[in-house]
Amino acid sequence: MNQIRLENISDDYFHQTWELYENSFPVEERRILDAQARVMKKSNYHFDIVVDENKLIGFLLWWDFETLRYIDHFATSTEQRNKGFGKLILENFMNSNDKPILLEVELPNTTINQRRIKFYQRIGFKLNQHYYEVPPSIEGQKPLQLLLMSYPTLLTAKDVEQFTNVCHPVIFKD
C-alpha cells in the first residue's frame, strides 16, 4: 500500500478519487470542484490517496495545524470496504505524528451514523458531546450540526471554541 499526496486536480487518480468523494458524502458536507482546486494549493492541506497495485483503496483529506491535525474527509472505495483498509489507513495516520487529531461525524440518528461512530471509537477516537456546527458548504444553506471526535483524548468546550475560531476560517474559506 502506498500513500500519495495529490497536489492539484490534474494529478493521476484525482478524478477517480473525486468520484468516490462525491459518492461518499452528502452535498452539504463537501466542496465543489473549483473550491477543492483552490484548497489544494494551501500548504497545510493534504489530499492523500492510498493505492495498492495501482488500485485506489481510499483517501484521507486532512489539515496540518500548529497544535492538531484535522481529518476533513476520509473514505475507502466501495470495493475495498470491510477488508480492514480503513482501520489500517487511520492507524497509520494516528501513529505518524503526536499531534491530537479531530474529525467530524454526523449525529447518531441513523444506523449507519452509529456504525461510523463505533468504528472510530474502536480505533481510539473519543466522541465529544459539545455543541458543534460547521458553516454551510453551499451559499444559502443553514450551518450543519455535527459532532467532533478526537484522538487521543476528549476535548473541552474551550478546545472546541478554539478549533472553531482558529481553524474554521482556514478550512471553510477557500
Side-chain angles (χ1 to χ4, degrees), residues 13 21 29 42 52 70 77 83 110 132 139 146 156 158-160 170:
Y13 293 104
Y21 172 83
E29 292 182 27
K42 295 184 180 191
D52 189 42
Y70 163 71
S77 66
K83 295 181 181 179
T110 67
Y132 175 74
E139 196 171 320
L146 299 169
T156 65
K158 186 174 180 171
D159 294 332
V160 173
V170 176

Side-chain angles (χ1 to χ4, degrees), residues 93-105:
F93 183 74
M94 293 159 68
N95 294 326
S96 68
N97 189 300
D98 288 337
K99 289 182 187 176
I101 303 168
L102 302 183
L103 60 83
E104 298 161 345
V105 291

Side-chain angles (χ1 to χ4, degrees), residues 10-151:
S10 64
D11 287 345
D12 289 345
Y13 293 104
F14 179 82
H15 291 289
Q16 183 182 1
T17 305
W18 191 250
E19 185 177 332
L20 174 59
Y21 172 83
E22 290 186 317
N23 291 329
S24 298
F25 295 93
V27 67
E28 63 271 9
E29 292 182 27
R30 60 182 197 237
R31 292 182 182 86
I32 61 170
L33 185 58
D34 288 345
Q36 184 64 46
R38 287 189 299 275
V39 85
M40 287 176 78
K41 293 177 182 170
K42 295 184 180 191
S43 62
N44 64 333
Y45 180 79
H46 297 256
F47 193 108
D48 292 344
I49 63 165
V50 177
V51 296
D52 189 42
E53 297 179 7
N54 297 319
K55 278 193 232 172
L56 178 68
I57 301 298
F59 63 81
L60 185 67
L61 313 182
W62 62 281
W63 294 84
D64 190 10
F65 291 105
E66 187 176 331
T67 60
L68 63 91
R69 293 181 294 161
Y70 163 71
I71 298 175
D72 201 351
H73 294 91
F74 165 69
T76 54
S77 66
T78 308
E79 305 81 42
Q80 304 304 328
R81 289 187 185 147
N82 300 312
K83 295 181 181 179
F85 287 116
K87 178 181 181 211
L88 184 61
I89 292 166
L90 284 173
E91 285 177 341
N92 287 342
F93 183 74
M94 293 159 68
N95 294 326
S96 68
N97 189 300
D98 288 337
K99 289 182 187 176
I101 303 168
L102 302 183
L103 60 83
E104 298 161 345
V105 291
E106 291 95 353
L107 301 177
N109 52 11
T110 67
T111 302
I112 189 73
N113 292 355
Q114 292 166 7
R115 286 180 56 208
R116 193 172 292 121
I117 290 167
K118 285 183 176 151
F119 165 75
Y120 290 122
Q121 287 174 321
R122 279 194 305 275
I123 59 173
F125 279 85
K126 311 290 186 230
L127 183 62
N128 295 273
Q129 296 297 329
H130 308 289
Y131 182 82
Y132 175 74
E133 67 179 26
V134 296
S137 61
I138 299 172
E139 196 171 320
Q141 287 186 335
K142 293 180 181 178
L144 181 62
Q145 185 180 356
L146 299 169
L147 290 173
L148 281 172
M149 295 192 77
S150 54
Y151 174 85

